[in-house]
Amino acid sequence: MLSGGLKFIVAKADKVDMDVRMQISEIFAEGFTQWLGYFSKDKNIIAKAFAHMFVLDQFYVAIANDKVAGMTACTDGKTFSVKLNKKELKKHLGFFKGSMAGIFLKREFEAPYENFPSNTGSIEFVGTAHEFKGQGVASQIIHHIFENTPYDDYVIEEVADTNIPAMKLYKKLGFEEYKRKPLPEKMSKKNGINNLLSLKYMKK
């Protein structure tokens, strides 16, 4: 399906006629560098280590010129959008760091939502490839999700308060903050983030 003119085609990641997994992982590695630096500071290694984890039928991608321009997952709050494999992590990150990634990131990425509201979509892993930044990719994917999924409300669980471009985008799309979680002081000083914000969008 064309979305937003002639440039980007937005579709489910498991329905496009190309292997998008590695490109999705490269976008992930680019966007999550500050969180994953402990495991490797090499974005190529991070991309290879995590390429296995994406559950493609939960992701939407924007395609331009046979490249993945951006990605976003949308789940029902019960189904996971990623599934980690410790064997794959150890293969690329080494035994120790691969084991640590399998333990700590499983808690982070595969933690079930508690009391997740009904008829609500969870927007996750919003990312844009470097060469397509500033071209409205993420907003086109999210609009496509609003128009092609059955939910009345949508939530984004954790956005860093220092991620100003993301906050501007989400506010422009109509998301509003409904909760904030302060980070421990030590962690806050290390990564420069003060609070993790939760946002909600309600269809009119």
Side-chain angles (χ1 to χ4, degrees), residues 20-29 46-48 50-51 54:
V20 298
R21 186 175 290 281
M22 193 61 198
Q23 290 186 64
I24 285 176
S25 198
E26 286 167 358
I27 296 170
F28 167 78
I46 292 293
K48 288 175 184 175
F50 291 94
F54 301 97

Side-chain angles (χ1 to χ4, degrees), residues 159-172:
V159 184
D161 59 359
T162 50
N163 191 345
I164 305 302
M167 289 302 301
K168 281 184 178 177
L169 167 67
Y170 299 143
K171 284 184 178 177
K172 186 178 176 183

Side-chain angles (χ1 to χ4, degrees), residues 25-44 46-47 50 191:
S25 198
E26 286 167 358
I27 296 170
F28 167 78
E30 181 79 33
F32 287 80
T33 301
Q34 70 184 108
W35 299 99
L36 301 171
Y38 166 77
F39 301 110
S40 176
K41 292 185 170 49
D42 186 328
K43 291 174 189 171
N44 291 321
I46 292 293
F50 291 94
N191 60 26

